[in-house]
Amino acid sequence: MIAVSDTASVVDPERFGTVFDAHYEEIRRYIGRRLDLGVAEDLAAETFLIAFRRRGRFDPARGTIRPWLYGIATNLIGRHRRAELRRYRALARTGPPPDEDGHDQRVADRVTAGVTVGRLSEALAGLSKGERDVVLLIAYGGLTYDEVAEALGVAYGTVASRLSRARAKLHKSLGVEAR
């Protein structure tokens, strides 16, 4: 990932391409993990379209470009929240989608994955929107607590408390002892 710290790259329409080049793949992967890859391309593109249109509102005093983009992407994902919840619930009932690489090669893996994906999907569906956003920004986006706070527009302490509650709920739902 290219570090884009130059505010002019965000504000200047002629230089905004450097922001896109530096962060597009990371944002697309994050969205793809939250939703599906077909939607990820469209929402990643929409993330950068919104960022481009709002580039004049970017405030470097509030943080860096990366969490700002994650915040936009997370808000777009929020628009697809109901579909995301339906998907998690369907996965919890049916298990992972069919294996296109050849069923007989991975039967044992699929049985194990089906149980794991179903349990994890059900556990994620049981979290509140805020808790799920924090967990997935950290797990899928690799963001720090500070970056998550910036992306969601909440205080650092809110991120920590949401993550703590989410961990407790996930541990309970998955039958894992808390450390």
Side-chain angles (χ1 to χ4, degrees), residues 139-162:
Y140 289 166
L143 271 64
T144 65
Y145 284 28
D146 286 327
E147 290 173 325
V148 171
E150 187 179 331
L152 298 178
V154 298
Y156 178 95
T158 302
V159 171
S161 65
R162 285 180 184 175

Side-chain angles (χ1 to χ4, degrees), residues 6 26 38 43 58 64-65 81 86 123 128 132 141 148 165:
D6 181 8
E26 180 181 359
L43 288 184
F58 174 72
T64 60
I65 295 164
R81 180 79 52 212
R86 283 193 302 272
S128 73
R132 191 171 39 257
V148 171
R165 283 192 308 271

